[in-house]
Amino acid sequence: SQQGEEDPQALSIQEGENATMNCSYKTSINNLQWYRQNSGRGLVHLILIRSNEREKHSGRLRVTLDTSKKSSSLLITASRAADTASYFCATDAFFSGNTGKLIFGQGTTLQVKP
Amino acid sequence: DADVTQTPRNRITKTGKRIMLECSQTKGHDRMYWYRQDPGLGLQLIYYSFDVKDINKGEISDGYSVSRQAQAKFSLSLESAIPNQTALYFCATSDLQGGVNEQFFGPGTRLTVL
């Protein structure tokens, strides 16, 4: 079963615009991570936010986490054509201290038009 | 990530054949994972291993088996391949550094079962 539900499933914007993707999850978590996947390739870790954090920045990326709503958002500012990829949230759910598994959402496919 | 390699990268096989996908890592991580990705979907966990003597089933282990031959090697077998096992398969590793399960992915194996 998928813990993460991502919205929208697909997003198309012009270069220079901002892109926002949302992720909702169901169970308590230790942290939430965002990954990027270029077409047909392996996933690459982008950024992690812990359950006691509300916002985090890394370059043009901004992640927010609202544990009361069990949701997170990823904002990519000043998008570039090279940002075209699929983006996945992954939750590290809390199992009595065993953070052994990540549960991935279905992803948002972002297209940035030059 | 070049530190996590998968062989073969592409494989076409027939229904009923036994197939082995191999994963090797030079990151020195204890934890290794096998995922399956179907078109337009997120990743589903097949099996995972926290060390050489530890093997755990994931969400979709039926029809699959694994072997952790060494810390650096984790192989996935399809005992009798069927067409609905056609998918992209990813291996991943992590070491839980700082209590965080950040995962590092291989480039993937594209498997087609005819």
Side-chain angles (χ1 to χ4, degrees):
Chain A
S1 62
Q2 297 289 339
Q3 155 99 305
E5 297 287 336
E6 298 193 52
D7 170 58
Q9 290 188 350
L11 180 60
S12 182
I13 60 174
Q14 293 295 133
E15 207 165 28
E17 294 180 339
N18 295 341
T20 300
M21 292 159 256
N22 303 295
C23 170
S24 60
Y25 57 92
K26 298 174 184 175
T27 66
S28 296
I29 61 172
N30 289 310
N31 61 73
L32 185 145
Q33 303 175 35
W34 286 90
Y35 287 78
R36 167 191 168 129
Q37 182 183 33
N38 286 359
S39 181
R41 299 198 175 186
L43 280 69
V44 176
H45 183 265
L46 291 177
I47 192 167
L48 175 148
I49 187 164
R50 296 179 187 268
S51 60
N52 62 353
E53 296 175 315
R54 292 297 167 259
E55 186 171 315
K56 202 157 182 186
H57 296 254
S58 177
R60 293 185 296 112
L61 305 180
R62 173 178 162 247
V63 173
T64 62
L65 179 66
D66 186 335
T67 53
S68 67
K69 295 182 179 178
K70 291 187 167 58
S71 67
S72 173
S73 67
L74 172 68
L75 169 67
I76 304 174
T77 60
S79 64
R80 305 166 182 168
D83 294 328
T84 294
S86 293
Y87 293 83
F88 294 88
C89 68
T91 50
D92 190 348
F94 184 75
F95 299 113
S96 301
N98 178 4
T99 58
K101 300 193 295 183
L102 291 181
I103 302 176
F104 287 83
Q106 294 183 323
T108 293
T109 299
L110 172 65
Q111 181 185 30
V112 181
K113 299 176 183 176
Chain B
D1 191 317
D3 297 326
V4 184
T5 57
Q6 293 183 233
T7 56
R9 294 294 312 279
N10 289 282
R11 182 72 184 268
I12 299 174
T13 190
K14 295 182 179 180
T15 297
K17 294 291 187 181
R18 185 177 187 274
I19 296 297
M20 179 179 287
L21 308 182
E22 299 190 5
C23 177
S24 294
Q25 53 116 345
T26 58
K27 299 188 77 68
H29 290 171
D30 287 327
R31 297 173 175 229
M32 298 187 74
Y33 307 79
W34 275 105
Y35 293 93
R36 160 185 179 147
Q37 184 179 35
D38 294 280
L41 298 180
L43 276 69
Q44 295 178 279
L45 183 62
I46 307 173
Y47 271 95
Y48 59 105
S49 169
F50 288 172
D51 64 41
V52 175
K53 297 179 182 179
D54 178 79
I55 301 289
N56 304 281
K57 292 183 177 180
E59 307 167 79
I60 55 162
S61 58
D62 287 349
Y64 301 95
S65 62
V66 291
S67 174
R68 185 80 185 267
Q69 301 96 320
Q71 187 205 36
K73 296 184 183 295
F74 192 35
S75 59
L76 175 72
S77 294
L78 287 68
E79 299 301 326
S80 179
I82 56 177
N84 75 3
Q85 291 178 313
T86 293
L88 195 52
Y89 290 85
F90 289 103
C91 173
T93 73
S94 72
D95 66 353
L96 213 62
Q97 186 173 16
V100 171
N101 187 13
E102 175 184 344
Q103 296 190 6
F104 297 83
F105 285 79
T109 294
R110 186 171 299 279
L111 177 66
T112 303
V113 183
L114 301 176

